Amino acid sequence: QVQLVESGGGLVQPGGSLRLSCAASGSILSINAMGWYRQAPGKQRELVARIFSGGRTTYADSVKGRFTISRDNAKNTVYLQMNSLKSEDTAVYYCKTERLWVASGVGDYWGQGTQVTVSS
């Protein structure tokens, strides 16, 4: 069974930094893409950043230049370094793996979410 465990959320002042981590566990053969999404109260979940197995990355326009996504393929872990945080970054952040292969097949998986609050 595949599990995604997130960590690193919390309360930070505007202009501050946080680093989120998400570790995927289970009998994983490979993961095509790993990403971070977020959902603010009353809003739809949106893509923040995604990184593919070869290292290619994509970012939402709103976080370009402030957030950096990275992954450790050996540990099946993805990170999101968030700098220059703004109040509008406040949301629940979710980790997602896309086309994660195990012996029985392939699928997409979500983490449980971690709260990020940017406030003075």
Side-chain angles (χ1 to χ4, degrees):
Q1 182 157 349
V2 174
Q3 284 191 316
L4 303 185
V5 178
E6 301 154 347
S7 61
L11 173 64
V12 64
Q13 292 186 341
S17 298
L18 281 176
R19 188 189 193 215
L20 305 183
S21 299
C22 172
S25 63
S27 301
I28 298 169
L29 301 177
S30 66
I31 305 173
N32 181 41
M34 305 181 79
W36 290 94
Y37 290 71
R38 67 186 180 187
Q39 188 166 19
K43 295 188 176 181
Q44 289 190 331
R45 192 173 298 188
E46 62 175 359
L47 173 67
V48 176
R50 180 194 278 133
I51 183 167
F52 294 85
S53 56
R56 181 170 65 89
T57 59
T58 61
Y59 293 92
D61 288 342
S62 60
V63 306
K64 283 181 180 177
R66 300 188 298 123
F67 291 9
T68 301
I69 190 170
S70 61
R71 66 187 278 180
D72 184 331
N73 290 330
K75 296 181 179 179
N76 292 322
T77 299
V78 63
Y79 307 95
L80 185 68
Q81 178 66 44
M82 304 185 294
N83 298 329
S84 302
L85 282 161
K86 306 175 181 179
S87 58
E88 51 262 44
D89 295 317
T90 295
V92 178
Y93 284 70
Y94 297 90
C95 171
K96 182 184 181 184
T97 59
E98 300 176 13
R99 295 190 63 76
L100 185 152
W101 285 89
V102 296
S104 58
V106 61
D108 296 347
Y109 297 87
W110 289 91
Q112 79 284 359
T114 185
Q115 177 69 48
V116 171
T117 302
V118 184
S119 176
S120 56

